[in-house]
Amino acid sequence: MLLIGACAVLFIYIHQSTVLTEDAKKCLGASFCAVSGALLISLFSIYSTIHSYEVKRDEYVQKQIDAGYDTVTVCTLPYNSYVWVGNPDAEPWTERYKLFHGIAPDIKFRFISYSEFDKWVEEFDKE
């Protein structure tokens, strides 16, 4: 969102400080809208993928706990650089994840990548 705001400020600056024809101003506005739309769509696709894996991860963590597992398999989120501390793979985030989800402190986590997680889910559902 900050990038879109910076682009908007740049757009306003260019629009006000240059002498452009009406057609050029319309073209500049349309290109700004196209770039902003493309940026929003790309960010939406990234964050919706992250959200879907987070929901799926939390669902399967709970299923494993309900089944009585001592070691729970947890997937790491895709696009890890887009979220801060999205994976509870280090202290204090492991402890906070367990507190937030009501998981017993003695449960251990085993982390796998999100691509491996899809295969693991298929195997888990067969059990």
Side-chain angles (χ1 to χ4, degrees):
M1 291 308 198
L2 185 61
L3 182 59
I4 293 173
C7 289
V9 169
L10 180 63
F11 169 73
I12 291 169
Y13 174 75
I14 291 171
H15 195 269
Q16 291 176 348
S17 66
T18 58
V19 178
L20 298 173
T21 64
E22 282 300 314
D23 289 339
K25 287 182 180 182
K26 288 179 184 177
C27 182
L28 182 64
S31 62
F32 171 74
C33 289
V35 168
S36 297
L39 182 61
L40 280 174
I41 289 170
S42 67
L43 288 174
F44 179 74
S45 68
I46 289 170
Y47 283 109
S48 64
T49 303
I50 292 169
H51 175 71
S52 66
Y53 272 99
E54 181 183 17
V55 168
K56 194 174 185 179
R57 171 179 75 179
D58 293 344
E59 175 187 342
Y60 278 92
V61 164
Q62 193 59 47
K63 282 183 179 182
Q64 293 173 76
I65 291 170
D66 293 343
Y69 285 70
D70 290 336
T71 301
V72 174
T73 301
V74 180
C75 90
T76 57
L77 297 177
Y79 306 109
N80 196 27
S81 60
Y82 284 84
V83 290
W84 287 15
V85 198
N87 299 315
D89 55 355
E91 290 299 329
W93 308 115
T94 303
E95 179 183 342
R96 290 178 186 219
Y97 183 85
K98 289 178 182 180
L99 286 172
F100 183 77
H101 291 287
I103 300 171
D106 59 331
I107 299 289
K108 304 274 189 269
F109 288 157
R110 179 178 75 92
F111 292 95
I112 59 175
S113 70
Y114 66 94
S115 57
E116 294 172 7
F117 187 69
D118 290 331
K119 296 172 193 168
W120 179 88
V121 163
E122 289 177 14
E123 294 297 319
F124 183 80
D125 286 339
K126 288 179 185 177
E127 294 177 3

